[in-house]
Amino acid sequence: SDLQKQEERGELLQPLIFVLLVLCSVLLYFKVSLMDPGFVKPEEEEGEDKGQGVVIPQIPGDIKLRRCGYCLVKQPMRAKHCQLCQHCVRRYDHHCPWLENCVGERNHPLFIVYLSVQLVVLLWGGHVAWSGLYFEQSREWLQHNIFLLVSFLLILIFTIVVLLLLVSHLYLISCNTTTWEFMLQHRISYLRHSERENPFDQGIILNLWRFFC
């Protein structure tokens, strides 16, 4: 059959890989959106915060870990209360409206993986949509290609958004800072009173290693 001939020629491999990438992207989306981003539990002590022993000596001694005014838990360093999730989140980065969940200490690495897979899917889909277009200056051409044209433009917009988001997050990770700390540095006590602009920065290689590994 035609299907067997296509399989023998390897023509089904690329569509299969594309479908698997889309499936992987969907699974990662649900994983990141449904998992615990690093909620601070009431029974936890502030000294249990991972990596806290590394960063505390670089922070001025007069800055004390405070108790959250909303959920009344002791906030570890770099934690922030999210009013949408109604929890304090460890190493809070931002609340993602696409995921309806916070991006924090536990799901931030998976969030980067999700963005990377999504970018590959969008680039692949954009290539497929572009390759299906053939340009002619006629009304009939527009009627027959309007779906592909609109699809390509939408894919292009989402690709730009995802690419910018991924690049910005990789930059912040390489500096060992978060979106929240980067945007509101002048309002965060342990950054405002620090002698260094970023007391958590330990070099690009070590920052990436600690984040992903």
Side-chain angles (χ1 to χ4, degrees):
S1 64
D2 293 339
L3 189 61
Q4 289 177 336
K5 292 179 180 179
Q6 289 178 341
E7 184 178 2
E8 291 173 357
R9 293 194 299 264
E11 296 178 358
L12 297 180
L13 182 60
Q14 289 189 1
L16 180 60
I17 294 176
F18 180 77
V19 171
L20 289 177
L21 282 174
V22 173
L23 180 61
C24 180
S25 175
V26 173
L27 292 177
L28 282 170
Y29 172 84
F30 284 108
K31 176 67 175 177
V32 176
S33 63
L34 296 176
M35 73 181 295
D36 179 356
F39 294 136
V40 181
K41 305 298 190 299
E43 65 272 12
E44 294 177 351
E45 297 292 334
E46 66 244 27
E48 296 177 2
D49 187 36
K50 295 181 180 179
Q52 187 171 318
V54 176
V55 300
I56 279 185
Q58 302 172 356
I59 305 299
D62 58 342
I63 298 179
K64 298 181 180 180
L65 302 183
R66 68 186 186 91
R67 188 175 291 276
C68 177
Y70 295 95
C71 51
L72 302 179
V73 298
K74 293 180 181 178
Q75 281 189 337
M77 189 68 71
R78 311 185 77 178
K80 181 184 181 297
H81 183 86
C82 175
Q83 296 190 15
L84 295 175
C85 292
Q86 295 298 311
H87 283 287
C88 285
V89 181
R90 292 178 180 271
R91 201 181 181 278
Y92 175 87
D93 188 88
H94 70 285
H95 183 92
C96 182
W98 290 1
L99 300 172
E100 283 297 327
N101 193 15
C102 281
V103 176
E105 183 181 73
R106 295 189 61 188
N107 65 349
H108 200 170
L110 271 181
F111 178 71
I112 299 300
V113 175
Y114 165 69
L115 288 179
S116 302
V117 174
Q118 189 66 44
L119 181 60
V120 173
V121 171
L122 287 169
L123 289 173
W124 197 333
H127 171 71
V128 172
W130 178 262
S131 62
L133 289 172
Y134 59 94
F135 294 95
E136 293 180 2
Q137 294 182 353
S138 65
R139 188 170 182 177
E140 290 76 14
W141 175 88
L142 184 61
Q143 291 177 348
H144 289 102
N145 293 272
I146 186 64
F147 176 75
L148 274 178
L149 189 59
V150 171
S151 299
F152 175 77
L153 292 177
L154 288 176
I155 290 173
L156 180 62
I157 293 172
F158 284 118
T159 300
I160 294 173
V161 172
V162 172
L163 179 61
L164 292 176
L165 194 58
L166 179 60
V167 170
S168 63
H169 273 274
L170 289 176
Y171 169 75
L172 293 176
I173 292 167
S174 68
C175 299
N176 197 358
T177 188
T178 63
T179 302
W180 171 57
E181 292 171 341
F182 181 79
M183 298 294 292
L184 298 175
Q185 182 177 3
H186 61 285
R187 294 177 55 184
I188 302 174
S189 58
Y190 59 81
L191 295 179
R192 188 173 67 247
H193 297 103
S194 175
E195 296 179 358
R196 299 174 55 190
E197 183 178 355
N198 180 10
F200 305 106
D201 187 6
Q202 297 178 311
I204 295 177
I205 296 178
L206 190 55
N207 291 339
L208 293 173
W209 175 264
R210 289 185 178 277
F211 181 84
F212 288 106
C213 305

